[in-house]
Amino acid sequence: MSAPGGDTEDGTSRAASSTTAGDRRVRDVQRQARPTLLLATGFALVAALFAALPHDTGAWLPLHLFLVGSLLLAISGASQLFAVTWSAGDAPGGRAVMTQRVLLSAGAAGVAAGRELAWPDALTGVAATAVVAALALLGVILVRIVASGRNRRFDAPVGSYVIALVAGIVGCVMGAALAAGPRSTGFRAAHETVNLLGLIGIVIAATLPFFVATEARTKMSPRADQRAQRLLGALLGVAVFVAGAGLAADARVVAALGLGAYALGLVAIVGLLPHLRRKQFRWAGPRLVGLLAGVGWWMGAVVVGAVHALRGHETFSDAVLLALVVGGYVQILLSSLAYLGPVLRGGGHLALSSGFRLTRSWITLVAVNTAAVLLVAGFRTAGTVALCVAATDTAVRAVMLRVNGSVIPRDPTGATP
């Protein structure tokens, strides 16, 4: 109920009440995102560990631990955080968020363990089903957030997220088919395409115009309007499914056209990014450089994959896959976590500034790019060592971020960024 004159019963203005509600929404979704992103970091570190340790399934195990575990958990936590923050929507229910997190983490661990330890197909199938259920639940959560939003500017990215999640569900079903028995090389490439470029790639592409502006502390480009974002989300979605269908049917021209259209979509997404000046790079440092470098590796891998498809070669050869995953997605994830970590720690402006200084890691930036170059060139041992350097540096800084958060003086106002 409202008091006369537009004030609430306790005498506060409607604007103040709305601000308080907005702060509560952001605090709630930040609290929900912390364990999800912490799990994502843990999966990334375990993936790096298995890249260095001997095991039975070769590159498959660390790749799936990173892609299904780390990246999808990061996408889950970050997409909900962004949707609530940028649409001014309500934070999702805690039970739904926890259920989605448990399904995805248990499913990712189960799929990895099932293949590595040669579990019965039924158990691995249960784990894969958990991943599918987690993706579907994430879609429901995101749609509900934007439906409750006071600001409609994040509707287009969430529409792209839904397209990506549909691609992910299709990719998971294809993965289950691959686990059940031998399939053609084209079918395997189609599975990789809809998961790597569809599920993961479309989510990243839809987020970039917002997140780059946020990381760089600048305004979004006026070119990144709702219409442009919807068109590019649709273009990337159609391109992924055309490429996947072409690969599965061994129609190399169709596959190359789909991958080429996807690469053009990425170029267009870059055109929607804000104009970055020296002061933005000076403030964000390696976080921003790494994010943009990751996009560059990603675009390059797609272009090379399109050429391979057209020539009838293996679309995602080891070199292309490593360029995409290590140079592109690993680097984008680490750059994003370097920004989100201090924000989610909270503690006011003093703690936030201290956290941003701590996560400005040139060591990780150089190590990841060095690892990508070495792995693409075929120097697996040296590349793995460089990747472990990046993982170690990230782990140390994550621990320091957590430990320092308990000793840094809090902002006198008690504000949480």
Side-chain angles (χ1 to χ4, degrees), residues 75 103 176 203 219 228:
I75 284 171
L103 283 172
V203 169
K219 293 181 179 180

Side-chain angles (χ1 to χ4, degrees), residues 123-221:
L123 288 179
T124 306
V126 169
T129 301
V131 174
V132 170
L135 295 179
L137 181 54
L138 177 60
V140 172
I141 291 171
L142 291 172
V143 169
R144 287 183 173 177
I145 290 172
V146 295
S148 70
R150 285 76 172 165
N151 189 324
R152 311 314 308 177
R153 66 174 179 162
F154 208 62
D155 287 11
V158 169
S160 295
Y161 291 173
V162 171
I163 294 172
L165 292 170
V166 171
I169 291 171
V170 172
C172 287
V173 172
M174 296 176 75
L178 283 167
R183 300 283 172 174
S184 68
T185 302
F187 188 88
R188 183 179 300 277
H191 160 70
E192 293 169 339
T193 298
V194 295
N195 278 326
L196 290 170
L197 303 185
L199 173 56
I200 296 170
I202 292 177
V203 169
I204 296 173
T207 310
L208 277 175
F210 290 83
F211 191 63
V212 169
T214 301
E215 258 208 19
R217 279 184 165 178
T218 189
K219 293 181 179 180
M220 283 184 62
S221 168

Side-chain angles (χ1 to χ4, degrees), residues 10-245:
D10 63 359
T12 59
S13 68
R14 287 183 181 272
S17 178
S18 176
T19 300
T20 301
D23 290 343
R24 188 182 307 115
R25 288 193 296 270
V26 172
R27 283 196 301 268
D28 287 346
V29 76
Q30 286 182 344
R31 185 172 60 251
Q32 293 166 348
R34 286 181 192 121
T36 305
L37 294 180
L38 186 61
L39 270 173
T41 304
F43 267 96
L45 295 176
V46 172
L49 182 64
F50 275 107
L53 294 177
H55 55 276
D56 292 335
T57 51
W60 185 94
L61 180 60
L63 282 175
H64 279 70
L65 284 170
F66 174 71
L67 295 169
V68 183
S70 183
L71 264 183
L72 292 191
L73 279 165
I75 284 171
S76 297
S79 61
Q80 294 172 65
L81 174 64
F82 296 153
V84 170
T85 304
W86 289 329
S87 71
D90 296 332
R95 184 173 298 176
V97 173
M98 184 178 69
T99 300
Q100 195 272 339
R101 182 195 305 133
V102 169
L103 283 172
L104 184 52
S105 55
V111 167
R115 172 79 182 273
E116 175 66 21
L117 302 177
W119 285 356
D121 290 344
L123 288 179
T124 306
V126 169
T129 301
V131 174
V132 170
L135 295 179
L137 181 54
L138 177 60
V140 172
I141 291 171
L142 291 172
V143 169
R144 287 183 173 177
I145 290 172
V146 295
S148 70
R150 285 76 172 165
N151 189 324
R152 311 314 308 177
R153 66 174 179 162
F154 208 62
D155 287 11
V158 169
S160 295
Y161 291 173
V162 171
I163 294 172
L165 292 170
V166 171
I169 291 171
V170 172
C172 287
V173 172
M174 296 176 75
L178 283 167
R183 300 283 172 174
S184 68
T185 302
F187 188 88
R188 183 179 300 277
H191 160 70
E192 293 169 339
T193 298
V194 295
N195 278 326
L196 290 170
L197 303 185
L199 173 56
I200 296 170
I202 292 177
V203 169
I204 296 173
T207 310
L208 277 175
F210 290 83
F211 191 63
V212 169
T214 301
E215 258 208 19
R217 279 184 165 178
T218 189
K219 293 181 179 180
M220 283 184 62
S221 168
R223 299 183 299 276
D225 57 26
Q226 290 283 308
R227 180 175 178 273
Q229 292 181 64
R230 286 194 179 95
L231 285 173
L232 288 178
L235 170 62
L236 293 176
V238 170
V240 163
F241 286 108
V242 168

Side-chain angles (χ1 to χ4, degrees), residues 283-318:
W283 181 79
R287 289 189 296 269
L288 186 55
V289 174
L291 186 63
L292 297 177
V295 173
W297 278 98
W298 175 20
M299 293 172 64
V302 173
V303 170
V304 174
V307 173
H308 281 190
L310 186 61
R311 293 180 175 177
H313 300 160
E314 184 181 2
T315 306
F316 289 101
S317 63
D318 287 349

Side-chain angles (χ1 to χ4, degrees), residues 342-343 345-358 401 404-406 408-411 415 417:
V343 171
R345 179 180 67 174
H349 297 294
L350 294 177
L352 186 64
S353 297
S354 172
F356 282 147
R357 287 194 298 271
L358 181 60
L401 188 69
N404 288 356
S406 63
I408 293 173
R410 292 309 194 239
D411 190 302

Side-chain angles (χ1 to χ4, degrees), residues 196-197 294 297-298 301-302 316 319-330:
L196 290 170
L197 303 185
W297 278 98
W298 175 20
V302 173
F316 289 101
V320 174
L321 188 60
L322 289 168
L324 175 62
V325 174
V326 178
Y329 292 158
V330 168

